[in-house]
Amino acid sequence: MKSRRFPVEADDCFDEIYKMDSDELDDIYLDIAQKLGISTENPEANPYWNKVTTVKNLVLFLHNQPKVKGSQVVKA
């Protein structure tokens, strides 16, 4: 795996800086959502749908998804 630049900054672009394609980004989103108890249902209703290009947009997308009822954060 190619080394990444740190620290990660809010305006870091997934495509330009991290050379991530949409499949890799989807995998990261699904993993984070599962660990944080965030629903992956109905993402089209999210105001950040199809706008996740930066770290900040991913955080805002996750923030705007509903939590799964009764979920707990999974500790790494």
Side-chain angles (χ1 to χ4, degrees), residues 23-75:
D23 289 336
E24 290 174 302
L25 190 53
D26 286 346
D27 291 343
I28 288 172
Y29 157 67
L30 293 170
D31 189 42
I32 293 170
Q34 180 183 18
K35 287 179 180 176
L36 296 178
I38 295 171
S39 174
T40 57
E41 301 284 322
N42 199 21
E44 301 86 9
N46 190 308
Y48 288 90
W49 173 249
N50 282 335
K51 296 179 184 174
V52 178
T53 57
T54 65
V55 173
K56 179 181 177 180
N57 292 143
L58 177 59
V59 170
L60 290 169
F61 182 87
L62 289 163
H63 176 75
N64 281 282
Q65 283 295 103
K67 295 288 273 183
V68 174
K69 289 185 180 182
S71 68
Q72 296 181 1
V73 174
V74 177
K75 294 184 180 182

Side-chain angles (χ1 to χ4, degrees), residues 5-14 17-18 53-59:
R5 180 179 72 114
F6 285 93
V8 175
E9 297 182 12
D11 291 327
D12 285 355
C13 183
F14 288 110
I17 293 176
Y18 301 109
T53 57
T54 65
V55 173
K56 179 181 177 180
N57 292 143
L58 177 59
V59 170

